[in-house]
Every structure is written in structure tokens, then in C-alpha cells.
Amino acid sequence: MKEKETETTTRQTQKSNQNNNSRSPQNLAKYRSLLLPLLIIIIYTIYQFVGGGAAADFAWSETSVTVICPDETEFTLDYADVTSLELCTDADYGTCISGNDSGSAYYGTWENDLWGTYSLCVTQSIGNCIVMQTDDATLVINYESEEITSALFEEIQKYCDAATVQAAAL
């Protein structure tokens, strides 16, 4: 009988030790080290799913700029065709006619009182945008941050000025 009691006590002690071992500092550290990367992956996936990151990619040439939106829609403007170029702050983008108006990336065909029906490809959280107009189209864009958008505006302005000088020389 004493053997059975000793065996039962030994089993209970082993189970108790196993339970305590699963909560040991080493095991908790192991779980925490696995939890952090998993949490980062989950947050990154959610961020990308709701439209995180830059709204547009660009393809540059000496004569034109092509804006590529997240849905692979492309807008191309020749610098020589640009009739108006401005850096706008705190723009009211208006209403989405087709495209995306949720998350952080706004793109597609939009409409407002200032520009009428126009093409938009912006990251909503950036406070400024570049407005490029031709005789028959308006394109509104920004990229990565207010500072980068401002620098991008200056570069586009240089290309547009060069295209105007070149057209006048012909």
C-alpha cells in the first residue's frame, strides 16, 4: 500500500514539476521570442491589406512621367503637354467615381469642384500633392512624404520647363 501511495505522490510531483517547467522563465522567454515575430508579421499584413505604404510608383523618362497606381492603372503625361503645375496643400480630393477611397491609398477617377473629373493617386495621410493639368486631363499625385512630394514637384517642374523651352525653340 505504501508503494502505491509513494507512486501516486511521485506522479503528482512529476505532474506538478511539468506544470511548473512549462511556466519556467526559459519557456516563457521562448514563447515571447516566437510571439514578437508573429505579431510583427500580423501587423504588417494588416497594414498592407488596408492600403499601407506608398500609393504610387513612377516610371520616368525625359519626355513624360507615368504614374502606376496599386491596381496597376497607369496615367502618363508628356511634360510638353502640361499647361499647369502646382504644389497643393490640404487638398479636398472630393468624391471617388471609380477606384479606391478606403485605407491610406486613394486612387482612380475622382471629382471635385476645383479640378472637375480627374485622375488621383495619393497616400491620404500626406498633406500635400502635385496637380498636373493638360488641355484634356488633370492628374493629382503625391509620394512617400510631404518632403519627397515637394522634391518631386521641383523635379517635374524642371522637366516641364525644359520641355517648354524645347518646344519654343522648334
Side-chain angles (χ1 to χ4, degrees):
M1 185 80 146
K2 278 190 172 184
E3 281 181 30
K4 265 192 169 179
E5 284 178 25
T6 306
E7 189 176 315
T8 303
T9 306
T10 304
R11 283 188 196 154
Q12 289 173 349
T13 304
Q14 287 174 347
K15 282 185 181 181
S16 177
N17 286 341
Q18 286 175 349
N19 288 340
N20 288 338
N21 284 341
S22 67
R23 294 183 185 159
S24 72
Q26 293 88 2
N27 284 339
L28 289 176
K30 177 179 158 185
Y31 290 123
R32 284 186 190 141
S33 68
L34 293 174
L35 184 61
L36 183 60
L38 182 61
L39 187 59
I40 290 170
I41 291 169
I42 290 169
I43 290 171
Y44 177 78
T45 303
I46 291 170
Y47 178 74
Q48 292 300 317
F49 181 72
V50 297
D57 284 321
F58 297 93
W60 301 96
S61 77
E62 290 187 18
T63 58
S64 66
V65 59
T66 299
V67 180
I68 306 154
C69 294
D71 68 350
E72 302 300 320
T73 302
E74 294 184 9
F75 304 103
T76 300
L77 285 180
D78 290 335
Y79 303 124
D81 294 339
V82 174
T83 57
S84 173
L85 179 67
E86 73 175 290
L87 184 63
C88 184
T89 57
D90 299 321
D92 174 12
Y93 297 124
T95 306
C96 180
I97 305 300
S98 66
N100 182 51
D101 64 349
S102 63
S104 64
Y106 289 1
Y107 55 89
T109 303
W110 287 60
E111 184 175 58
N112 71 9
D113 293 335
L114 184 59
W115 304 311
T117 302
Y118 68 99
S119 300
L120 176 72
C121 194
V122 298
T123 300
Q124 186 268 338
S125 63
I126 298 173
N128 61 359
C129 60
I130 300 166
V131 181
M132 295 182 280
Q133 294 180 311
T134 65
D135 288 337
D136 53 299
T138 300
L139 177 61
V140 178
I141 60 172
N142 64 20
Y143 192 66
E144 288 190 2
S145 69
E146 288 185 25
E147 294 79 20
I148 292 175
T149 299
S150 295
L152 184 60
F153 169 78
E154 291 174 14
E155 287 301 309
I156 293 172
Q157 191 169 38
K158 288 177 189 176
Y159 280 112
C160 288
D161 290 346
T164 302
V165 168
Q166 188 176 21
L170 296 176

